[in-house]
Amino acid sequence: MATVELRFSALPEHVRTARLVAAAVARRAGVDEAVLDEVRLAVGEACSRAVGLHESHDIAEPVRVLLIEDEKKFSIEVGDGVSGDSGTSGARGDEPEGAADSDAEGEDEMGLAVISGLVDDVEVTAGKDGGLIRMTWPANTATILP
C-alpha cells in the first residue's frame, strides 16, 4: 500500500496543484482513464471546501490530502482542521453573520452534493481533529507505468 501525503496552505490557488497531483497518482495507481476527470473534479471540490472552511474559521494549519493506493482500490482523503464541535452553521450573534453562515452552509452542502454525484464511494466524517472526506475508486491491479 503506497501513500502520498500532500499538505498545502489554505489558499484557493493551491487547489489546482492538489487536483493535478491527485490525477497523476490516480493514473499511476491504475484508475481507469475515463474516470480521471471525475477524480480531478471531486478532489478540486473537496479541497475548495476545505480551503473555504479554513478561511471561515481562521485556521492557519494546512489542508491535508492523502492519496492511498491499495491492491484493488485508490482512495483520496481530504481533511480540514474544523473540529466537529465548532460546527459549520449556527448564528454567532448578529443577523448578518448568521446570514453569512447560512450562505456558507449552503455552499458546503452544494459541494458535498457535487462530490457525491462524481464519486460512488464517498464518506464524510467530522471529529475533534477536523472533517474528512474519503473518496474511493476501483483500480486495476496490472498498471502500466510510463
Side-chain angles (χ1 to χ4, degrees):
M1 171 171 89
T3 300
V4 174
E5 182 175 1
L6 176 65
R7 291 177 182 259
F8 62 91
S9 301
L11 298 170
E13 52 266 25
H14 294 305
V15 171
R16 182 172 187 267
T17 302
R19 289 177 54 195
L20 293 171
V21 170
V25 175
R27 180 177 286 119
R28 291 188 68 102
V31 173
D32 191 338
E33 287 287 327
V35 181
L36 289 179
D37 281 339
E38 294 172 9
V39 171
R40 270 191 286 274
L41 290 170
V43 168
E45 199 63 47
C47 289
S48 293
R49 177 182 176 275
V51 166
L53 288 170
H54 277 236
E55 288 176 343
S56 66
H57 288 82
D58 293 323
I59 296 173
E61 71 182 52
V63 173
R64 302 174 317 273
V65 181
L66 289 177
L67 309 159
I68 306 162
E69 179 185 351
D70 283 329
E71 194 171 314
K72 294 184 180 184
K73 65 182 180 176
F74 175 70
S75 300
I76 299 177
E77 297 179 0
V78 178
D80 60 63
V82 180
S83 69
D85 324 349
S86 68
T88 57
S89 63
R92 290 174 274 192
D94 56 352
E95 186 63 27
E97 207 169 311
D101 284 349
S102 177
D103 289 345
E105 185 178 333
E107 287 178 23
D108 184 46
E109 292 299 319
M110 179 64 80
L112 290 175
V114 168
I115 293 168
S116 295
L118 292 168
V119 185
D120 290 335
D121 186 2
V122 63
E123 179 184 341
V124 180
T125 58
K128 63 179 180 161
D129 295 330
L132 183 73
I133 298 176
R134 179 178 294 116
M135 303 167 282
T136 304
W137 293 269
N140 299 327
T141 53
T143 4
I144 301 171
L145 300 176

